[in-house]
Amino acid sequence: MDAFAGIVLFRRARTPQALADEARNMIRHLAARIERSAPKIRTRADARAAVAFVAHPDRPLVTLVEAGTSTSETQTTGGLPPSARWTVWLGAAAGSGAVPIDPLNADQDTHGLWLTAGSDFACVAWNGETRTLLLARDPLGYRTIWLYRMADGYAFASDLAALYAHPAFRPRLGPDGLNALLALGPYRPPESGILEDMSAVRPGTVLRLTPTGQTTTVYWSLPLAGIADTGNDPAGANLDLVNGALTDIRAIAALVRERLTEAVRSCAGSEQPAAFLSGGIDSSAIVALLTRQGFGPVRTYSLEYEDNDRYFAADALTPERDAAFIGEMVRFAGSRHTVVTLRVDALVDVLKTALWARGVPGMVDIDGALLLFSSVVAKSERLVLSGEGADELFGGYPWFFDETALRLATYPWSRQLERRLSYLTKEARRRLQPEAFVRATWHQALAEIAPPHFRPPLTPFSARDARTAGIPAESAAGSFETTMRIMAYVNLTRWAGVLLERKDRMTRLFGLDARLPFIDRALVETVWPLPWAVKAVGPAPKGLLREALQDLLPDAVRLRKKNPFPKTFHPRYIARIQAMARNRLQDPSTPLFEWIDRTAFTRTVETLSGGEPFPWFGQLLGAPQFVAYLLTVDEWLRALDPKIV
């Protein structure tokens, strides 16, 4: 377990020991919530600020840097001068000699400092002399910093559940938070902490807090040059961003291959990493590159479910099991492979732990499966590489190719939104106005990138279609290119956050350092400006990536259709969820039913085994997960008992 939590006070001073105790108790509460031990909590405190952290004993992901010395070993509490400075790093940057140790130094180029920190970090720094707290996150938001605003300062933490233990925490839940839970969740807008006064530092930003207020600096964002002022190809003017290598697809693919190779090497460092392997193109590429770079035989791990050979049910989004493709890749790469098989009962029993690991209701059994998988792998490994980020970057999700999604009317991963909202009571819909909330947050995302008055076409116009519509052909083509750029943007800045948060919590808190080459900043900056026609070259999604991996993977793997993270189809999972829901339905004090219609919920619970499919979130969450999600919402409401405002 690697985590940090702390407090900063701007209005009044307290004893360093008292602040250190509060910070330490936040870590203890987090550990208790997720059923982990935190035997050696280290602290640093003065009269205005304190931080506590716990780090893995072998390879810490949290490091304290103070007066030029980094430590994850020495415990320091109390009796510190007001000029004390410390910096806490979380992630791959922790303890790295390449990371500048004093981000509060005004003489440093702060933008350059954060860019050198890499693509996997969260940082909190305190200057007691100037009473300045600085918080920064990596470019795409893999590691998180949460803030809770108090009357005389802030509590901060790497994990939401730690903040729930601060003595000044007073949970209040307003319409925006309820809408985020009931209409959008597990997705949340980028800075939302669901509760009032709770927020996240946004990816690619630095937040500076002082007694006189706060300032936010964006040190990195996806390059937007050209997209806000033209309907034509927004990437055309930026093709030189990849050093003039865009002479043909093969040259572009070679450059992508080079960037990915560098990203894998950077994530591996000088160690012998393991890798998650699903048999898909992303994880297989990482295994193959590790092997070519001399890290073989790579220790690989895959996830399977109890009786999945018996109960697996193929559909359009999950067309096949992974086993055959994993076997093909293991033979090809010569990896030492382990299959981790999860029991159905364990998957249900861990739902509450997964809830508190995320801190808010999440992807239920999909979160829980990764948590259990990580806990098993962590018995043998500390460092693993994984393929998250590739589908967002190269356009691999089904909604990149769905005409309805390309209308950009709402979040493309929230299909059947109206059906989801139909579960709300009439009074809840009247009070919360969820349609307006979803529309407003979606338009806020679009406003960050879409040109004024932009109207997306469903597909590229043919020349004849353009003439019929009275639109110049080049403008029509550019409009489609802008549509695809917007789709990529919302996936990288919104959807990715759901999956990166899951990866961080379900690995870091359970013993693993999971690193993600596909969110490497140099790779993202290379691929992002490319026109959609380049990214989607060839007959299959992610064509550019497939082209870049020629001769690196067997064709059966390289050309495989996308398969999402595996899930269970076992009838006992559905039976267990039904039993939990029936118990909740018999409880008249259940807070969920202040907002969710009891009759509609009952109907769904009783038809889980053979009811109409309900793909309500992403590729994996159907009707059983919807019921499980609402049960975790109820658990969260019961535990926190927030005041409704």
Side-chain angles (χ1 to χ4, degrees):
M1 175 176 167
D2 296 78
F4 67 79
I7 310 104
V8 60
L9 301 178
F10 290 129
R11 292 188 180 179
R12 61 189 176 95
R14 293 176 58 197
T15 67
Q17 189 64 54
L19 291 180
D21 288 344
E22 287 183 2
R24 189 182 296 109
N25 287 335
M26 292 162 71
I27 294 292
R28 287 174 177 158
H29 175 85
L30 169 66
R33 282 287 195 187
I34 63 172
E35 301 177 354
R36 303 287 290 179
S37 62
K40 193 173 183 181
I41 302 174
R42 301 152 184 115
T43 61
R44 184 73 164 97
D46 61 27
R48 294 281 183 173
V51 65
F53 66 97
V54 60
H56 192 279
D58 297 331
R59 286 188 56 266
L61 266 176
V62 181
T63 298
L64 177 77
V65 180
E66 178 187 22
T69 303
S70 66
T71 177
S72 57
E73 296 299 327
T74 303
Q75 181 174 358
T76 54
T77 57
L80 303 177
S83 59
R85 286 173 176 254
W86 47 255
T87 304
V88 171
W89 292 94
L90 167 67
S96 169
V99 175
I101 63 171
D102 189 4
L104 290 163
N105 188 340
D107 295 332
Q108 292 177 331
D109 173 8
T110 54
H111 280 69
L113 182 153
W114 301 115
L115 292 177
T116 63
S119 305
D120 175 356
F121 73 88
C123 177
V124 180
W126 168 248
N127 184 336
E129 184 174 313
T130 62
R131 298 184 188 177
T132 299
L133 186 74
L134 182 147
L135 311 99
R137 284 182 74 188
D138 55 55
L140 288 180
Y142 182 29
R143 311 296 183 181
T144 307
I145 306 173
W146 297 99
L147 274 176
Y148 179 66
R149 186 176 60 195
M150 307 180 296
D152 56 352
Y154 292 86
F156 59 87
S158 56
D159 300 274
L160 266 174
L163 295 176
Y164 301 155
H166 191 273
F169 176 62
R170 301 291 184 271
R172 299 183 304 129
L173 183 59
D176 285 356
L178 282 162
N179 274 317
L181 280 175
L182 301 174
L184 288 182
Y187 166 75
R188 302 181 308 278
E191 297 174 49
S192 170
I194 302 295
L195 295 166
E196 300 291 303
D197 300 318
M198 191 77 76
S199 62
V201 178
R202 191 155 181 169
T205 65
V206 182
L207 181 63
R208 188 179 295 265
L209 303 175
T210 69
T212 59
Q214 68 179 55
T215 58
T216 300
T217 301
V218 178
Y219 74 86
W220 186 89
S221 63
L222 289 169
L224 303 183
I227 195 157
D229 51 34
T230 178
N232 294 321
D233 175 7
N238 298 320
L239 297 185
D240 60 344
L241 289 177
V242 286
N243 302 322
L246 301 180
T247 55
D248 56 37
I249 291 296
R250 284 175 296 182
I252 304 170
L255 184 62
V256 169
R257 168 86 159 259
E258 178 184 334
R259 293 286 191 269
L260 180 58
T261 300
E262 293 168 353
V264 169
R265 183 180 296 112
S266 175
C267 286
S270 60
E271 303 184 47
Q272 190 82 14
F276 290 164
L277 178 61
S278 69
I281 185 174
D282 312 325
S283 63
S284 298
I286 291 170
V287 172
L289 287 169
L290 284 172
T291 303
R292 287 209 175 183
Q293 292 173 17
F295 292 102
V298 181
R299 299 178 305 282
T300 54
Y301 295 84
S302 65
L303 184 153
E304 185 57 280
Y305 294 96
E306 174 188 0
D307 294 335
N308 208 31
D309 55 343
R310 179 180 177 185
Y311 293 112
F312 175 81
D315 58 28
L317 296 179
T318 311
E320 60 208 356
R321 294 179 63 205
D322 291 333
F325 298 92
I326 292 171
E328 176 83 11
M329 193 61 207
V330 167
R331 290 187 294 272
F332 181 81
S335 70
R336 297 205 310 252
H337 189 67
T338 301
V339 178
V340 177
T341 301
L342 303 182
R343 294 184 301 106
V344 171
D345 290 327
L347 195 62
V348 177
D349 294 341
V350 82
L351 288 176
K352 186 182 294 188
T353 305
L355 161 65
W356 296 116
R358 208 185 261 262
V360 289
M363 296 179 73
V364 288
D365 57 294
I366 308 304
D367 284 356
L370 181 56
L371 185 163
L372 292 171
F373 182 46
S374 298
S375 298
V376 173
V377 175
K379 294 176 181 178
S380 304
E381 310 289 349
R382 174 57 174 160
L383 174 62
V384 296
L385 271 57
S386 189
E388 278 80 358
D391 287 305
E392 291 84 353
L393 185 58
F394 289 93
Y397 291 113
W399 45 79
F400 277 89
F401 306 91
D402 180 82
E403 288 195 353
T404 300
L406 291 178
R407 294 179 185 273
L408 300 179
T410 192
Y411 298 97
W413 48 86
S414 291
R415 294 175 293 164
Q416 301 196 18
L417 178 62
E418 178 54 38
R419 181 175 170 185
R420 178 177 180 176
L421 296 182
S422 72
Y423 284 86
L424 295 174
T425 65
K426 291 182 180 179
E427 176 62 14
R429 290 190 80 158
R430 185 193 67 79
R431 287 174 61 182
L432 300 179
Q433 298 293 307
E435 296 90 347
F437 176 81
V438 172
R439 187 165 54 249
T441 58
W442 174 244
H443 287 170
Q444 182 181 19
L446 294 185
E448 294 175 3
I449 187 170
H453 313 301
F454 172 72
R455 295 293 180 270
L458 299 186
T459 57
F461 283 96
S462 68
R464 186 175 66 179
D465 291 336
R467 286 195 301 271
T468 301
I471 300 172
E474 62 273 14
S475 295
S479 185
F480 177 71
E481 174 62 34
T482 302
T483 296
M484 301 314 297
R485 184 57 53 90
I486 293 169
M487 180 65 81
Y489 181 84
V490 297
N491 274 269
L492 283 164
T493 63
R494 264 60 179 186
W495 173 252
V498 180
L499 302 186
L500 294 180
E501 179 178 275
R502 167 178 171 263
K503 193 66 161 195
D504 171 51
R505 306 303 190 279
M506 307 304 155
T507 57
R508 170 175 55 82
L509 293 177
F510 299 91
L512 283 182
D513 175 2
R515 299 187 184 177
L516 313 179
F518 283 101
I519 65 167
D520 178 80
R521 181 174 57 82
L523 176 63
V524 172
E525 290 175 347
T526 297
V527 176
W528 161 254
L530 298 174
W532 176 250
V534 173
K535 296 178 188 177
V537 64
K542 293 160 66 174
L544 176 60
L545 181 60
R546 298 178 197 275
E547 182 70 23
L549 300 177
Q550 288 272 13
D551 80 15
L552 188 67
L553 300 177
D555 279 350
V557 174
R558 187 176 65 86
L559 301 177
R560 183 190 180 192
K561 183 178 180 181
K562 176 177 173 53
N563 223 38
F565 186 87
K567 69 176 182 179
T568 184
F569 295 84
H570 205 295
R572 193 161 75 252
Y573 174 77
I574 294 176
R576 289 282 310 272
I577 295 299
Q578 285 177 313
M580 292 168 61
R582 288 166 183 153
N583 287 338
R584 211 64 61 89
L585 281 162
Q586 293 173 3
D587 185 350
S589 65
T590 299
L592 179 70
F593 297 122
E594 183 177 349
W595 312 100
I596 295 295
D597 183 85
R598 188 182 291 265
T599 300
F601 183 77
T602 302
R603 187 184 309 117
T604 298
V605 169
E606 298 305 326
T607 58
L608 278 186
S609 296
E612 181 184 355
F614 183 22
W616 61 283
F617 190 81
Q619 296 176 264
L620 289 168
L621 304 193
Q625 287 77 23
F626 184 64
V627 172
Y629 175 79
L630 291 180
L631 292 176
T632 61
V633 170
D634 184 70
E635 178 68 29
W636 187 82
L637 290 171
R638 285 170 179 260
L640 297 187
D641 190 22
K643 179 181 179 181
I644 305 300
V645 295

